[in-house]
């Protein structure tokens, strides 16, 4: 297969919905990258800071069996440089 899938999310306290999403995304790849926004970007998107710090959110994701890499996204909304840098085969979306 050798596919790389990328997912995006705040992942501010992992729950069953997150885990189900990550598990489903992993079914389509050999390497799953979870991209998390900085605390500043979360505040811009949600109007409030995240409950957990970025380092805590990354650490929680790195402990998940399905996630091969948990990385920080772009500093600028809408730039999508992280996609250009990691060149995933698929971007998986939730909901």
């Amino acid at each position: 297969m050798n596919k790389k899938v990328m997912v995006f999310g705040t992942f501010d306290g992992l729950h069953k919905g997150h885990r189900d999403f990550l598990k489903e995304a992993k079914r389509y790849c050999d390497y799953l990258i979870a991209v998390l926004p900085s605390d500043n970007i979360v505040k811009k998107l949600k109007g409030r800071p995240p409950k957990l710090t970025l380092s805590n959110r990354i650490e929680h994701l790195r402990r998940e069996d399905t996630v091969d890499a948990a990385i920080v996204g772009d500093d600028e909304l809408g730039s999508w440089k992280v996609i250009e840098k990691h060149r995933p085969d698929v971007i998986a979306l939730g909901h």
Side-chain angles (χ1 to χ4, degrees):
M1 185 178 350
N2 291 327
K3 281 191 179 176
K4 188 181 343 178
V5 169
M6 183 176 277
V7 298
F8 292 83
T10 304
F11 302 104
D12 195 15
L14 287 173
H15 54 70
K16 184 179 180 334
H18 289 135
R19 288 186 176 97
D20 288 347
F21 170 55
L22 294 168
K23 184 177 177 181
E24 185 67 21
K26 182 68 176 188
R27 289 182 53 210
Y28 296 95
C29 66
D30 299 305
Y31 195 80
L32 180 61
I33 303 170
V35 182
L36 295 90
S38 67
D39 296 346
N40 184 47
I41 295 292
V42 172
K43 190 171 183 181
K44 286 180 183 178
L45 290 170
K46 296 188 174 195
R48 63 166 175 77
K51 297 172 196 157
L52 300 174
T53 65
L54 176 60
S55 59
N56 287 121
R57 293 182 286 128
I58 287 174
E59 183 58 35
H60 290 174
L61 272 175
R62 286 183 176 160
R63 289 188 205 141
E64 293 295 310
D65 293 339
T66 53
V67 177
D68 297 296
I71 62 172
V72 181
D74 300 326
D75 289 331
E76 182 182 334
L77 279 173
S79 70
W80 306 111
K81 292 177 186 171
V82 71
I83 295 171
E84 293 171 18
K85 180 178 179 181
H86 294 278
R87 305 192 51 80
D89 297 296
V90 174
I91 296 173
L93 303 175
H95 300 285

Coordinates of all heavy atoms in Angstrom, one line a residue:
M1 N 0.8 -1.2 0.0 CA 0.0 0.0 0.0 C 0.9 1.3 0.0 O 0.7 2.1 -0.9 CB -0.9 0.0 1.2 CG -1.9 1.1 1.2 SD -3.1 1.1 2.6 CE -3.0 -0.3 3.5
N2 N 1.8 1.4 1.0 CA 2.7 2.6 1.0 C 2.0 3.9 0.9 O 2.6 4.8 0.2 CB 3.8 2.4 0.1 CG 4.8 1.3 0.4 OD1 4.9 1.0 1.6 ND2 5.3 0.6 -0.5
K3 N 0.9 4.1 1.4 CA 0.2 5.4 1.3 C 0.3 6.2 2.6 O 0.4 5.6 3.7 CB -1.3 5.2 1.1 CG -1.7 4.9 -0.3 CD -3.2 5.0 -0.6 CE -3.5 4.7 -2.0 NZ -4.9 4.7 -2.3
K4 N 0.4 7.5 2.4 CA 0.5 8.4 3.6 C -0.8 9.2 3.6 O -1.3 9.8 2.6 CB 1.7 9.3 3.3 CG 2.0 10.2 4.5 CD 3.2 11.2 4.3 CE 4.1 10.9 3.2 NZ 5.2 12.0 3.1
V5 N -1.5 9.2 4.8 CA -2.7 9.9 5.0 C -2.5 11.0 6.0 O -1.7 10.8 7.0 CB -3.9 8.9 5.5 CG1 -5.1 9.7 5.9 CG2 -4.3 8.0 4.3
M6 N -3.1 12.1 5.8 CA -3.0 13.3 6.7 C -4.4 13.6 7.2 O -5.4 13.6 6.5 CB -2.4 14.5 6.0 CG -2.2 15.7 6.8 SD -1.3 17.0 5.9 CE 0.4 16.4 6.1
V7 N -4.5 13.9 8.5 CA -5.7 14.3 9.2 C -5.4 15.6 9.9 O -4.3 15.9 10.3 CB -6.3 13.3 10.1 CG1 -6.7 12.0 9.4 CG2 -5.4 13.0 11.3
F8 N -6.4 16.4 10.1 CA -6.3 17.7 10.8 C -7.3 17.7 11.9 O -8.4 17.2 11.8 CB -6.6 18.9 9.9 CG -5.6 19.1 8.8 CD1 -5.7 18.3 7.6 CD2 -4.6 20.0 8.9 CE1 -4.7 18.5 6.6 CE2 -3.7 20.2 7.9 CZ -3.7 19.5 6.7
G9 N -6.9 18.3 13.1 CA -7.8 18.5 14.2 C -7.1 19.1 15.3 O -5.9 19.1 15.4
T10 N -7.9 19.7 16.2 CA -7.4 20.3 17.4 C -7.0 19.2 18.4 O -6.0 19.3 19.1 CB -8.5 21.2 18.1 OG1 -8.8 22.2 17.1 CG2 -7.9 21.9 19.3
F11 N -7.8 18.1 18.5 CA -7.6 17.0 19.4 C -7.3 17.5 20.8 O -6.3 17.1 21.5 CB -6.4 16.1 18.9 CG -6.6 15.6 17.5 CD1 -6.0 16.1 16.4 CD2 -7.5 14.5 17.3 CE1 -6.2 15.6 15.1 CE2 -7.8 14.0 16.0 CZ -7.1 14.6 14.9
D12 N -8.2 18.3 21.3 CA -8.1 18.9 22.6 C -8.8 18.0 23.6 O -9.9 18.3 24.1 CB -8.8 20.3 22.5 CG -8.4 21.2 23.7 OD1 -7.4 20.8 24.4 OD2 -9.1 22.2 23.9
G13 N -8.1 17.0 24.0 CA -8.7 15.9 24.9 C -9.3 14.8 24.0 O -10.4 15.0 23.4
L14 N -8.5 13.8 23.8 CA -8.9 12.7 22.9 C -10.1 12.0 23.5 O -10.2 11.7 24.7 CB -7.8 11.7 22.7 CG -6.6 12.2 21.8 CD1 -5.5 11.2 21.9 CD2 -7.1 12.4 20.4
H15 N -11.1 11.7 22.6 CA -12.3 11.0 23.0 C -12.6 9.9 22.0 O -11.8 9.7 21.0 CB -13.5 11.9 23.2 CG -13.8 12.8 22.0 ND1 -14.3 12.3 20.8 CD2 -13.6 14.1 21.9 CE1 -14.4 13.3 20.0 NE2 -14.0 14.4 20.6
K16 N -13.6 9.1 22.2 CA -13.9 8.0 21.3 C -14.1 8.4 19.9 O -13.7 7.7 19.0 CB -15.2 7.3 21.8 CG -15.5 6.0 21.0 CD -16.8 5.3 21.6 CE -17.2 4.1 20.8 NZ -16.8 3.9 19.5
G17 N -14.7 9.5 19.6 CA -14.9 10.0 18.3 C -13.6 10.3 17.6 O -13.4 9.9 16.4
H18 N -12.7 10.9 18.3 CA -11.3 11.1 17.7 C -10.7 9.7 17.4 O -10.1 9.5 16.3 CB -10.4 11.8 18.7 CG -10.7 13.2 18.9 ND1 -10.7 13.8 20.2 CD2 -11.0 14.2 18.1 CE1 -11.0 15.1 20.1 NE2 -11.2 15.4 18.8
R19 N -10.7 8.8 18.3 CA -10.1 7.5 18.2 C -10.7 6.7 17.0 O -10.0 6.1 16.2 CB -10.1 6.7 19.5 CG -9.1 7.3 20.5 CD -9.0 6.5 21.7 NE -8.0 7.0 22.6 CZ -8.3 7.9 23.6 NH1 -9.6 8.2 23.9 NH2 -7.3 8.3 24.4
D20 N -12.0 6.8 16.9 CA -12.7 6.1 15.8 C -12.2 6.7 14.4 O -12.0 6.0 13.5 CB -14.2 6.2 15.9 CG -14.7 5.3 17.0 OD1 -14.0 4.5 17.5 OD2 -15.9 5.5 17.4
F21 N -12.2 8.1 14.4 CA -11.7 8.8 13.2 C -10.3 8.4 12.8 O -10.0 8.1 11.7 CB -11.8 10.3 13.4 CG -11.2 11.1 12.4 CD1 -11.5 11.0 11.0 CD2 -10.3 12.1 12.7 CE1 -10.9 11.8 10.0 CE2 -9.7 12.9 11.7 CZ -10.0 12.7 10.4
L22 N -9.4 8.4 13.8 CA -8.0 8.0 13.5 C -7.9 6.6 13.1 O -7.1 6.3 12.1 CB -7.2 8.3 14.8 CG -7.0 9.7 15.2 CD1 -6.4 9.8 16.6 CD2 -6.2 10.5 14.2
K23 N -8.6 5.7 13.7 CA -8.6 4.3 13.3 C -9.1 4.1 11.9 O -8.5 3.3 11.1 CB -9.5 3.5 14.3 CG -9.5 2.0 14.1 CD -10.3 1.3 15.1 CE -10.4 -0.2 14.9 NZ -11.2 -0.9 15.9
E24 N -10.2 4.8 11.5 CA -10.7 4.7 10.2 C -9.7 5.2 9.2 O -9.5 4.6 8.1 CB -12.0 5.4 10.1 CG -12.8 5.3 8.8 CD -13.3 3.9 8.5 OE1 -13.4 3.1 9.4 OE2 -13.5 3.6 7.3
A25 N -9.1 6.4 9.5 CA -8.1 6.9 8.6 C -6.9 6.0 8.4 O -6.4 5.8 7.3 CB -7.6 8.3 9.1
K26 N -6.5 5.4 9.4 CA -5.4 4.4 9.4 C -5.6 3.2 8.5 O -4.7 2.7 7.9 CB -5.0 4.0 10.8 CG -3.8 3.1 10.9 CD -2.5 3.8 10.5 CE -1.3 2.9 10.7 NZ 0.0 3.6 10.6
R27 N -6.9 2.9 8.3 CA -7.2 1.7 7.5 C -6.8 2.0 6.0 O -6.7 1.0 5.2 CB -8.7 1.5 7.5 CG -9.2 0.9 8.8 CD -10.7 0.6 8.8 NE -11.1 -0.2 7.7 CZ -12.2 -0.2 7.0 NH1 -13.2 0.6 7.5 NH2 -12.5 -0.9 6.0
Y28 N -6.6 3.2 5.6 CA -6.3 3.6 4.3 C -4.8 3.9 4.0 O -4.5 4.4 2.9 CB -7.2 4.8 3.8 CG -8.6 4.5 3.9 CD1 -9.4 4.8 5.0 CD2 -9.2 3.9 2.8 CE1 -10.8 4.5 5.0 CE2 -10.6 3.5 2.8 CZ -11.3 3.8 3.9 OH -12.7 3.5 3.9
C29 N -4.0 3.6 5.0 CA -2.6 4.0 4.8 C -1.6 3.1 5.6 O -2.0 2.4 6.5 CB -2.4 5.5 5.2 SG -2.6 5.8 6.9
D30 N -0.4 3.4 5.3 CA 0.7 2.8 6.1 C 1.3 3.8 7.1 O 1.9 3.4 8.1 CB 1.9 2.3 5.2 CG 1.4 1.3 4.2 OD1 0.9 0.3 4.6 OD2 1.6 1.6 3.0
Y31 N 1.0 5.1 6.8 CA 1.6 6.1 7.7 C 0.6 7.2 7.9 O 0.2 7.9 6.9 CB 2.9 6.7 7.0 CG 3.8 7.5 7.9 CD1 4.6 6.9 8.7 CD2 3.7 8.9 7.8 CE1 5.5 7.6 9.6 CE2 4.5 9.6 8.6 CZ 5.4 9.0 9.5 OH 6.2 9.8 10.3
L32 N 0.2 7.4 9.1 CA -0.8 8.4 9.4 C -0.2 9.6 10.1 O 0.4 9.5 11.2 CB -1.9 7.8 10.3 CG -3.0 8.8 10.7 CD1 -3.8 9.3 9.5 CD2 -4.0 8.1 11.7
I33 N -0.4 10.8 9.5 CA 0.1 12.1 10.1 C -1.1 12.9 10.6 O -2.0 13.2 9.9 CB 0.8 12.9 9.0 CG1 2.0 12.1 8.4 CG2 1.3 14.2 9.6 CD1 2.5 12.8 7.2
A34 N -1.0 13.2 11.9 CA -2.0 14.1 12.5 C -1.5 15.5 12.6 O -0.4 15.7 13.2 CB -2.4 13.6 13.9
V35 N -2.1 16.5 12.1 CA -1.7 17.8 12.1 C -2.5 18.6 13.1 O -3.8 18.6 13.0 CB -1.8 18.5 10.7 CG1 -1.3 19.9 10.7 CG2 -1.0 17.6 9.7
L36 N -1.9 19.3 14.0 CA -2.6 20.0 15.0 C -2.2 21.5 14.9 O -1.1 21.9 14.6 CB -2.1 19.6 16.4 CG -2.4 18.2 16.8 CD1 -1.4 17.2 16.4 CD2 -2.7 18.1 18.3
P37 N -3.2 22.4 15.1 CA -3.0 23.8 15.1 C -2.3 24.3 16.4 O -2.5 23.7 17.4 CB -4.4 24.4 15.0 CG -5.3 23.4 15.7 CD -4.6 22.1 15.4
S38 N -1.6 25.4 16.2 CA -1.0 26.0 17.4 C -2.1 26.5 18.3 O -3.2 26.7 17.9 CB 0.0 27.1 17.0 OG -0.8 28.2 16.4
D39 N -1.8 26.8 19.6 CA -2.8 27.4 20.5 C -3.3 28.7 19.9 O -4.5 29.0 20.0 CB -2.1 27.6 21.9 CG -1.7 26.3 22.5 OD1 -2.1 25.2 22.1 OD2 -0.9 26.4 23.5
N40 N -2.5 29.5 19.3 CA -2.9 30.8 18.7 C -4.0 30.6 17.6 O -5.0 31.3 17.5 CB -1.7 31.5 18.2 CG -2.1 32.9 17.7 OD1 -2.8 33.6 18.3 ND2 -1.5 33.2 16.5
I41 N -3.7 29.6 16.8 CA -4.7 29.3 15.7 C -6.0 28.7 16.2 O -7.1 29.1 15.7 CB -4.0 28.3 14.6 CG1 -2.8 28.9 13.9 CG2 -5.0 27.8 13.6 CD1 -3.1 30.1 13.0
V42 N -5.9 27.9 17.2 CA -7.1 27.4 17.9 C -8.0 28.5 18.4 O -9.2 28.6 18.1 CB -6.8 26.4 19.0 CG1 -8.1 26.0 19.8 CG2 -6.1 25.2 18.5
K43 N -7.3 29.5 19.0 CA -8.1 30.7 19.5 C -8.7 31.4 18.4 O -9.9 31.9 18.5 CB -7.1 31.6 20.3 CG -7.9 32.7 21.0 CD -7.0 33.4 22.0 CE -7.8 34.4 22.7 NZ -7.0 35.2 23.7
K44 N -8.0 31.6 17.2 CA -8.6 32.2 16.1 C -9.8 31.5 15.5 O -10.8 32.0 15.1 CB -7.6 32.4 15.0 CG -6.6 33.5 15.2 CD -5.6 33.6 14.1 CE -4.5 34.6 14.4 NZ -3.5 34.7 13.3
L45 N -9.7 30.1 15.5 CA -10.7 29.3 14.9 C -11.9 29.1 15.8 O -13.1 29.1 15.3 CB -10.2 27.9 14.5 CG -9.2 27.8 13.4 CD1 -8.6 26.5 13.3 CD2 -9.9 28.2 12.1
K46 N -11.7 29.0 17.1 CA -12.8 28.6 18.0 C -13.2 29.8 18.9 O -14.1 29.6 19.7 CB -12.4 27.4 18.9 CG -12.2 26.2 18.0 CD -12.0 25.0 18.9 CE -11.9 23.7 18.0 NZ -12.1 22.5 18.8
G47 N -12.4 30.9 18.9 CA -12.7 32.0 19.8 C -12.3 31.8 21.2 O -12.7 32.6 22.1
R48 N -11.6 30.8 21.5 CA -11.1 30.5 22.8 C -9.8 29.6 22.7 O -9.6 28.9 21.7 CB -12.1 29.7 23.6 CG -12.4 28.4 23.1 CD -13.2 27.5 24.0 NE -13.6 26.2 23.4 CZ -12.7 25.2 23.2 NH1 -11.5 25.3 23.5 NH2 -13.2 24.1 22.7
P49 N -8.9 29.7 23.7 CA -7.7 28.9 23.6 C -8.1 27.4 23.9 O -9.2 27.1 24.5 CB -6.9 29.4 24.8 CG -7.8 30.1 25.7 CD -9.0 30.6 24.9
P50 N -7.3 26.5 23.5 CA -7.6 25.1 23.8 C -7.4 24.8 25.3 O -6.7 25.5 26.0 CB -6.5 24.3 23.0 CG -5.4 25.3 22.8 CD -6.0 26.7 22.8
K51 N -8.1 23.7 25.7 CA -8.0 23.3 27.1 C -6.6 22.8 27.4 O -6.0 23.1 28.5 CB -9.0 22.3 27.5 CG -10.4 22.7 27.3 CD -11.4 21.6 27.4 CE -12.7 22.0 26.9 NZ -13.5 20.8 26.5
L52 N -6.0 22.1 26.5 CA -4.7 21.5 26.7 C -3.7 22.3 25.8 O -4.0 22.7 24.7 CB -4.7 20.0 26.2 CG -5.6 19.1 27.0 CD1 -5.6 17.7 26.3 CD2 -5.2 19.0 28.4
T53 N -2.4 22.4 26.3 CA -1.4 23.0 25.5 C -1.1 22.2 24.3 O -1.4 21.0 24.2 CB -0.1 23.2 26.3 OG1 0.4 21.9 26.6 CG2 -0.3 24.0 27.6
L54 N -0.5 22.8 23.3 CA -0.1 22.2 22.1 C 0.8 21.0 22.4 O 0.6 19.9 21.9 CB 0.7 23.1 21.1 CG 1.2 22.5 19.9 CD1 0.1 21.9 19.0 CD2 2.0 23.6 19.1
S55 N 1.8 21.1 23.3 CA 2.7 20.0 23.6 C 1.9 18.8 24.2 O 2.2 17.7 23.9 CB 3.8 20.4 24.5 OG 3.4 21.0 25.7
N56 N 0.9 19.1 25.1 CA 0.1 18.0 25.6 C -0.7 17.3 24.6 O -0.8 16.1 24.6 CB -0.8 18.6 26.7 CG -0.1 18.9 28.0 OD1 -0.1 20.0 28.4 ND2 0.6 17.9 28.6
R57 N -1.3 18.1 23.7 CA -2.1 17.5 22.6 C -1.3 16.7 21.7 O -1.7 15.6 21.3 CB -2.8 18.7 21.8 CG -3.9 19.4 22.6 CD -4.6 20.5 21.9 NE -3.8 21.6 21.6 CZ -3.7 22.2 20.4 NH1 -4.3 21.7 19.4 NH2 -2.9 23.3 20.3
I58 N -0.1 17.1 21.4 CA 0.8 16.3 20.5 C 1.2 15.0 21.3 O 1.2 13.9 20.7 CB 2.1 17.1 20.1 CG1 1.7 18.1 19.1 CG2 3.2 16.2 19.6 CD1 2.8 19.1 18.7
E59 N 1.6 15.1 22.5 CA 2.0 14.0 23.3 C 0.9 12.9 23.4 O 1.1 11.7 23.2 CB 2.4 14.4 24.7 CG 2.9 13.3 25.5 CD 4.1 12.5 24.9 OE1 4.9 13.1 24.3 OE2 4.2 11.3 25.1
H60 N -0.4 13.4 23.6 CA -1.5 12.4 23.7 C -1.7 11.7 22.3 O -1.9 10.5 22.3 CB -2.8 13.2 24.0 CG -2.8 13.7 25.4 ND1 -3.8 14.4 25.9 CD2 -2.0 13.5 26.5 CE1 -3.6 14.7 27.2 NE2 -2.5 14.2 27.5
L61 N -1.5 12.4 21.2 CA -1.7 11.8 19.9 C -0.5 10.8 19.6 O -0.7 9.7 19.1 CB -1.7 12.8 18.8 CG -3.1 13.3 18.5 CD1 -3.0 14.4 17.5 CD2 -4.0 12.2 18.0
R62 N 0.7 11.1 20.0 CA 1.8 10.3 19.8 C 1.7 8.9 20.6 O 2.3 7.9 20.2 CB 3.1 11.0 20.2 CG 3.5 12.0 19.2 CD 4.8 12.7 19.5 NE 5.1 13.6 18.4 CZ 6.0 14.6 18.5 NH1 6.6 14.8 19.6 NH2 6.2 15.4 17.5
R63 N 0.9 8.9 21.6 CA 0.7 7.7 22.4 C -0.4 6.8 21.7 O -0.5 5.6 22.0 CB 0.2 8.0 23.8 CG 1.2 8.6 24.6 CD 0.7 8.7 26.1 NE 1.4 9.8 26.7 CZ 0.9 10.6 27.6 NH1 -0.4 10.6 27.9 NH2 1.6 11.6 28.1
E64 N -1.1 7.3 20.7 CA -2.1 6.5 20.0 C -1.4 5.5 19.0 O -0.5 5.9 18.3 CB -3.1 7.4 19.3 CG -3.9 8.2 20.2 CD -4.9 7.4 21.0 OE1 -5.6 6.6 20.5 OE2 -4.9 7.7 22.3
D65 N -1.8 4.3 19.0 CA -1.3 3.3 18.1 C -1.5 3.6 16.7 O -0.7 3.2 15.8 CB -1.9 1.9 18.4 CG -1.5 1.3 19.8 OD1 -0.5 1.8 20.3 OD2 -2.3 0.5 20.3
T66 N -2.5 4.3 16.3 CA -2.8 4.6 14.9 C -2.0 5.7 14.3 O -1.9 5.8 13.1 CB -4.3 4.9 14.8 OG1 -4.7 5.9 15.7 CG2 -5.2 3.7 15.1
V67 N -1.5 6.6 15.2 CA -0.8 7.8 14.7 C 0.7 7.6 14.6 O 1.3 7.2 15.6 CB -1.1 9.0 15.6 CG1 -0.3 10.2 15.2 CG2 -2.6 9.3 15.7
D68 N 1.2 7.8 13.4 CA 2.6 7.6 13.2 C 3.4 8.9 13.4 O 4.6 8.8 13.8 CB 2.9 7.1 11.8 CG 2.3 5.7 11.6 OD1 2.7 4.8 12.2 OD2 1.3 5.6 10.8
A69 N 2.8 10.0 13.2 CA 3.4 11.3 13.4 C 2.4 12.3 13.8 O 1.3 12.4 13.2 CB 4.2 11.8 12.2
A70 N 2.6 13.1 14.9 CA 1.8 14.2 15.3 C 2.6 15.5 15.1 O 3.7 15.6 15.8 CB 1.3 14.0 16.7
I71 N 2.2 16.4 14.3 CA 3.0 17.6 13.9 C 2.2 18.8 14.1 O 0.9 18.8 14.0 CB 3.6 17.5 12.5 CG1 2.5 17.4 11.5 CG2 4.5 16.2 12.4 CD1 3.0 17.5 10.0
V72 N 2.9 20.0 14.1 CA 2.2 21.3 14.2 C 1.9 21.8 12.8 O 2.8 21.7 11.9 CB 3.1 22.3 15.0 CG1 2.4 23.6 15.1 CG2 3.5 21.7 16.3
G73 N 0.8 22.3 12.6 CA 0.4 22.9 11.3 C 1.0 24.2 11.1 O 1.8 24.7 11.8
D74 N 0.5 24.9 10.1 CA 1.0 26.2 9.7 C 0.7 27.3 10.7 O -0.3 27.2 11.4 CB 0.4 26.6 8.3 CG 0.8 25.6 7.2 OD1 1.9 25.0 7.3 OD2 -0.1 25.4 6.3
D75 N 1.5 28.3 10.7 CA 1.3 29.4 11.6 C 0.3 30.4 11.0 O -0.2 31.2 11.7 CB 2.6 30.2 11.9 CG 3.6 29.4 12.7 OD1 3.1 28.6 13.6 OD2 4.8 29.6 12.6
E76 N 0.0 30.3 9.8 CA -0.9 31.2 9.1 C -2.1 30.4 8.6 O -1.9 29.4 7.8 CB -0.2 31.8 7.9 CG -1.0 32.8 7.1 CD -0.2 33.4 6.0 OE1 1.1 33.4 6.0 OE2 -0.8 33.8 5.0
L77 N -3.3 30.8 8.9 CA -4.5 30.2 8.5 C -4.6 30.2 6.9 O -4.3 31.2 6.3 CB -5.7 30.9 9.0 CG -6.1 30.5 10.4 CD1 -7.3 31.4 10.9 CD2 -6.5 29.1 10.5
G78 N -4.9 29.1 6.3 CA -5.1 29.0 4.9 C -3.8 28.9 4.1 O -3.9 28.9 2.8
S79 N -2.7 28.7 4.7 CA -1.5 28.7 3.8 C -1.2 27.2 3.3 O -0.7 27.0 2.3 CB -0.2 29.2 4.6 OG 0.1 28.3 5.6
W80 N -1.5 26.2 4.1 CA -1.5 24.8 3.8 C 0.0 24.4 3.4 O 0.1 23.4 2.6 CB -2.5 24.5 2.7 CG -3.8 24.8 3.0 CD1 -4.6 25.8 2.5 CD2 -4.6 24.3 4.1 NE1 -5.8 25.9 3.1 CE2 -5.9 25.0 4.1 CE3 -4.4 23.3 5.0 CZ2 -6.9 24.7 5.0 CZ3 -5.5 23.0 5.9 CH2 -6.7 23.7 5.9
K81 N 1.0 25.0 3.9 CA 2.3 24.6 3.6 C 2.7 23.2 4.1 O 3.5 22.5 3.6 CB 3.3 25.7 4.1 CG 3.3 27.0 3.4 CD 4.2 28.0 4.0 CE 3.9 29.4 3.4 NZ 4.6 30.4 4.1
V82 N 2.0 22.9 5.2 CA 2.2 21.5 5.8 C 1.9 20.4 4.8 O 2.5 19.4 4.7 CB 1.4 21.4 7.1 CG1 -0.1 21.3 6.9 CG2 2.0 20.2 7.9
I83 N 0.9 20.7 3.9 CA 0.5 19.7 2.9 C 1.6 19.6 1.9 O 2.0 18.5 1.5 CB -0.8 20.0 2.3 CG1 -2.0 19.9 3.3 CG2 -1.1 19.1 1.1 CD1 -3.3 20.5 2.8
E84 N 2.1 20.8 1.4 CA 3.2 20.8 0.4 C 4.4 20.1 1.0 O 5.1 19.4 0.3 CB 3.5 22.2 0.1 CG 2.4 22.9 -0.7 CD 2.7 24.4 -0.9 OE1 3.9 24.8 -0.7 OE2 1.7 25.2 -1.1
K85 N 4.7 20.3 2.3 CA 5.9 19.7 2.9 C 5.9 18.2 3.0 O 6.8 17.5 2.7 CB 6.2 20.4 4.2 CG 7.4 19.8 4.9 CD 7.6 20.5 6.3 CE 8.8 19.9 7.0 NZ 9.1 20.6 8.3
H86 N 4.7 17.7 3.4 CA 4.6 16.2 3.7 C 4.0 15.4 2.6 O 4.0 14.2 2.6 CB 3.9 16.0 5.0 CG 4.6 16.6 6.2 ND1 5.6 15.8 6.8 CD2 4.6 17.7 6.8 CE1 6.1 16.5 7.8 NE2 5.5 17.7 7.8
R87 N 3.4 16.1 1.6 CA 2.8 15.5 0.4 C 2.0 14.2 0.7 O 2.4 13.1 0.2 CB 3.9 15.3 -0.6 CG 4.6 16.6 -0.9 CD 5.5 16.6 -2.1 NE 5.0 16.1 -3.3 CZ 4.2 16.9 -4.1 NH1 3.8 18.1 -3.8 NH2 3.7 16.3 -5.2
P88 N 0.9 14.2 1.4 CA 0.2 13.0 1.7 C -0.5 12.6 0.4 O -0.8 13.3 -0.5 CB -0.9 13.5 2.7 CG -1.1 14.9 2.4 CD 0.3 15.4 2.0
D89 N -0.8 11.3 0.3 CA -1.6 10.7 -0.8 C -3.0 11.0 -0.6 O -3.8 11.2 -1.6 CB -1.4 9.2 -0.8 CG 0.1 8.8 -1.1 OD1 0.6 9.2 -2.2 OD2 0.7 8.2 -0.2
V90 N -3.5 11.1 0.7 CA -4.9 11.3 1.0 C -5.0 12.2 2.2 O -4.2 12.1 3.1 CB -5.6 10.0 1.3 CG1 -7.0 10.2 1.8 CG2 -5.5 9.0 0.2
I91 N -6.0 13.1 2.2 CA -6.3 13.9 3.4 C -7.7 13.4 3.8 O -8.7 13.4 3.1 CB -6.4 15.4 3.1 CG1 -5.0 15.9 2.7 CG2 -6.9 16.2 4.3 CD1 -4.9 17.3 2.2
A92 N -7.7 12.8 5.0 CA -9.0 12.3 5.5 C -9.7 13.3 6.4 O -9.1 14.0 7.1 CB -8.7 11.0 6.4
L93 N -11.0 13.4 6.2 CA -11.8 14.4 6.9 C -12.8 13.7 7.7 O -13.4 12.6 7.4 CB -12.6 15.3 5.9 CG -11.7 16.0 4.8 CD1 -12.6 16.7 3.8 CD2 -10.8 17.0 5.5
G94 N -13.1 14.3 8.9 CA -14.1 13.7 9.8 C -15.5 14.2 9.5 O -15.8 14.9 8.5
H95 N -16.5 13.7 10.2 CA -17.9 14.1 10.1 C -18.4 13.6 8.8 O -19.0 14.2 8.0 CB -18.2 15.6 10.3 CG -17.7 16.1 11.6 ND1 -18.4 15.8 12.8 CD2 -16.6 16.8 12.0 CE1 -17.8 16.4 13.8 NE2 -16.7 17.0 13.4

